[in-house]
Amino acid sequence: MGEKDSKKWVLMATARSPTNIAVIKYWGKRDETLILPVNGSISVTLDPSHLSATTTVAVSPSFDRDRMWLNGKEILLSGGRFQSCLREIRRRAEDVEDEERGICIKREDWEGLHVHIASFNNFPTAAGLASSAAGFACLVFALAKLMNVKEETTELSSIARQGSGSACRSLYGGFVKWAMGNKEDGSDSIAVQLANETHWEDLVILIAVVCSRQKETSSTTGMRESVETSSLLQYRSQVVVPRRLIQMEEAIQKRDFPSFAKLTCADSNQFHAVCLDTSPPIFYMNDTSHRHVQLCFLVYCICLFIRLLDYRNFQDRWNQFEGTPQVTYTYDAGPNAVLIAPNRKVAHLLLQRMLFYFPPPSEKELDSYVLGDTSILQEAGLHSKKDIEALLPPAEAKTNAPPQKYTGDINYFICTRPGSGPVLLSGDDQALLNAETGLPKLSADRP
Ligand SMILES: Nc1ncnc2c1ncn2[C@@H]1O[C@H](COP(=O)(O)OP(=O)(O)OP(=O)(O)O)[C@@H](O)[C@H]1O
Ligand SMILES: C[C@@](O)(CCOP(=O)(O)OP(=O)(O)O)CC(=O)O
């Protein structure tokens, strides 16, 4: 190792990685240490400007141990998953030279150098919104950049997988498949991109954050218990998912929303059925989640009706559109709903209905109740809370009794879309660690 002032320099890299939502779920491992799944899965990467992890990694000869801060608090790095990612990246590290600053790290030096890591999620951690996916993808991506790792993205995905299974899919934007693989060493259990984020840009994704508290049964524990006790999981992984993966890939390639929608909600329902089939049963969805599912079906019927009116050839069109879903939903290991609409027009309808039934509580302003791509709100004619109060009951609610509203059931909504994969952020002002000390920046100085 060569440097002008050996104790002083700090070398850093900062990256931002997206989270993803599975439309064919990963649930169950065949190898707990290597994190090898019992079935393949498919996900949509979400726009990182709305949901992402930002991670800064730093190395310096002055660091006396590996350390990590998550959302401003120091956490232990001793866990096997963090250790696996660090070990696998260090093993692949190459020479790094910064001539200007007189820093020269040889590949063999990396083993003896410690790292500092600071990460921040712009959405709730451990609440069923896949923070571990964004977090481990970002960690691996940032470390690989810092240590000049030359491996392809697929290789990095298999390292991120060892941090958290779903993280391997967050190494790519757009639509991603995690192939389960068959090899014992896990070398073929990798993620591949099916299509990038521009392939199907019309999709609108609306997340209803029901609860941002930490859940009672983590995905890791939940899926272990399902593998041990659920016979439905065996049938699912061996018979149902292999077939669904092929159908889902085709639906994505063809941008066939009806097939995509049917497969997505069927797979979410089956995943939650497996949770119920687990002993003791696991309940990730709650009453609010169930209400969303019902609402989704209502929106689907209404869209059908509207589309029907657009056509003169009534009977034929009715047959053509019958059974054609217009919005779909999926739930991960938590009560938060992820609703997907095929385009902005249907998304307006969906958002209007959601806000009619789940209006913001009196103390909450609209701009803290609907986050992300709020242009959808404007397009739906919802500029203020008054516009929400003025929303007429949806057609399906027009019965003698006034429709029931569920104020306070939702914390907030996030409007988003398919998004891109991890990116490197340049400039020290984007970093979460101080460029001189390698310690976390004070919250006031954070980007
Ligand atoms: N930005 C991050 N960087 C590194 N690790 C993270 C980050 N965010 C979360 N994690 C890790 O992921 C753990 C949370 O994972 P967990 O699976 O419980 O929740 P989740 O990923 O938010 O939800 P789910 O996977 O069920 O959708 C945290 O305790 C932490 O170890
Ligand atoms: C329900 C899921 O979100 C489960 C995600 O599980 P994790 O990837 O969080 O589990 P570990 O591999 O144990 O870290 C479905 C999915 O993302 O495919």
Side-chain angles (χ1 to χ4, degrees):
M1 199 180 339
E3 64 281 334
K4 279 179 188 153
D5 189 346
S6 82
K7 283 284 168 193
K8 285 241 169 94
W9 60 263
V10 175
L11 194 66
M12 303 201 296
T14 300
R16 187 180 71 169
S17 290
T19 182
N20 68 76
I21 178 75
V23 287
I24 301 292
K25 305 286 183 198
Y26 147 55
W27 195 251
K29 299 183 186 71
R30 61 180 201 277
D31 184 315
E32 289 264 346
T33 315
L34 289 173
I35 308 197
L36 302 177
V38 293
N39 58 253
S41 53
I42 293 181
S43 59
V44 183
T45 298
L46 304 181
D47 189 335
S49 34
H50 309 136
L51 292 109
S52 58
T54 301
T55 303
T56 300
V57 290
V59 63
S60 168
S62 65
F63 298 165
D64 59 1
R65 61 191 195 282
D66 292 339
R67 295 177 75 181
M68 172 158 186
W69 294 263
L70 176 56
N71 299 326
K73 276 200 189 136
E74 182 153 16
I75 61 163
L76 290 177
L77 268 179
S78 50
R81 291 168 171 225
F82 284 111
Q83 289 304 318
S84 299
C85 292
L86 282 167
R87 184 191 59 238
E88 293 302 317
I89 292 286
R90 277 193 173 112
R91 194 178 280 169
R92 293 164 176 82
E94 296 284 346
D95 297 353
V96 171
E97 227 179 312
D98 183 337
E99 273 183 27
E100 220 172 278
R101 297 174 63 200
I103 302 169
C104 172
I105 306 171
K106 293 277 165 214
R107 60 193 300 187
E108 57 277 13
D109 296 336
W110 284 108
E111 287 298 333
L113 283 166
H114 293 291
V115 290
H116 281 187
I117 303 160
S119 188
F120 181 79
N121 298 328
N122 66 357
F123 64 98
T125 300
L129 287 173
S131 63
S132 58
F136 279 102
C138 205
L139 175 67
V140 167
F141 186 82
L143 283 172
K145 293 290 173 201
L146 179 76
M147 299 189 184
N148 195 20
V149 169
K150 296 281 196 313
E151 261 74 8
E152 301 282 332
T153 312
T154 42
E155 181 97 8
L156 296 185
S157 89
S158 80
I159 301 175
R161 189 200 74 226
Q162 296 173 55
S164 179
S166 51
C168 72
R169 298 186 309 237
S170 272
L171 261 303
Y172 296 96
F175 300 82
V176 185
K177 178 167 87 172
W178 173 11
M180 65 175 282
N182 294 308
K183 293 191 185 159
E184 263 184 40
D185 67 358
S187 56
D188 56 350
S189 189
I190 49 167
V192 290
Q193 188 179 52
L194 297 176
N196 73 17
E197 61 278 14
T198 61
H199 169 71
W200 202 354
E201 356 182 52
D202 289 351
L203 292 186
V204 177
I205 301 167
L206 180 65
I207 305 174
V209 182
V210 173
C211 154
S212 48
R213 269 185 295 118
Q214 255 180 255
K215 60 199 177 217
E216 280 162 28
T217 312
S218 73
S219 307
T220 308
T221 310
M223 68 175 82
R224 185 182 304 131
E225 290 172 356
S226 295
V227 168
E228 283 164 7
T229 63
S230 169
S231 50
L232 179 56
L233 178 61
Q234 286 180 28
Y235 175 69
R236 168 179 163 73
S237 59
Q238 287 163 20
V239 181
V240 180
V241 175
R243 208 171 45 211
R244 276 191 189 152
L245 288 171
I246 297 168
Q247 293 166 338
M248 182 58 95
E249 246 187 274
E250 200 180 310
I252 291 170
Q253 291 309 347
K254 293 183 176 160
R255 297 186 204 90
D256 170 359
F257 189 79
S259 303
F260 173 82
K262 279 184 202 161
L263 287 163
T264 299
C265 60
D267 203 69
S268 171
N269 291 343
Q270 191 178 63
F271 153 51
H272 288 277
V274 165
C275 292
L276 282 181
D277 189 46
T278 299
S279 176
I282 310 165
F283 305 92
Y284 283 126
M285 291 168 77
N286 64 15
D287 286 353
T288 307
S289 325
H290 293 137
R291 249 169 238 136
H292 289 151
V293 171
Q294 282 168 348
L295 192 67
C296 251
F297 276 105
L298 287 174
V299 173
Y300 149 45
C301 295
I302 287 153
C303 292
L304 256 179
F305 185 63
I306 290 169
R307 291 184 71 172
L308 199 68
L309 293 179
D310 283 341
Y311 293 98
R312 272 175 232 137
N313 194 347
F314 199 82
Q315 283 302 323
D316 282 353
R317 295 297 172 183
W318 173 258
N319 289 338
Q320 193 176 330
F321 284 109
E322 192 159 47
T324 304
Q326 295 295 308
V327 287
T328 189
Y329 58 83
T330 184
Y331 291 80
D332 268 356
N336 307 318
V338 178
L339 309 171
I340 310 178
N343 53 52
R344 292 177 86 88
K345 224 171 148 187
V346 178
H348 300 157
L349 203 68
L350 177 64
L351 195 56
Q352 284 167 350
R353 269 174 177 71
M354 286 309 247
L355 291 172
F356 176 82
Y357 286 110
F358 303 95
S362 53
E363 70 281 4
K364 212 155 205 172
E365 288 310 317
L366 191 53
D367 60 2
S368 59
Y369 195 59
V370 181
L371 312 175
D373 178 8
T374 48
S375 63
I376 296 182
L377 259 184
Q378 314 300 323
E379 290 165 16
L382 303 169
H383 307 282
S384 69
K385 281 172 82 173
K386 282 215 169 73
D387 295 328
I388 294 176
E389 282 156 26
L391 280 171
L392 293 173
E396 75 279 5
K398 280 182 188 145
T399 56
N400 289 338
Q404 186 169 357
K405 298 204 177 193
Y406 302 95
T407 315
D409 275 17
I410 303 273
N411 259 343
Y412 55 91
F413 291 95
I414 307 172
C415 296
T416 188
R417 60 175 91 83
S420 54
V423 288
L424 200 61
L425 305 178
S426 56
D428 287 347
D429 51 335
Q430 308 255 37
L432 300 172
L433 294 169
N434 182 296
E436 267 141 43
T437 62
L439 290 168
K441 284 182 180 170
L442 297 173
S443 51
D445 303 331
R446 264 192 239 138

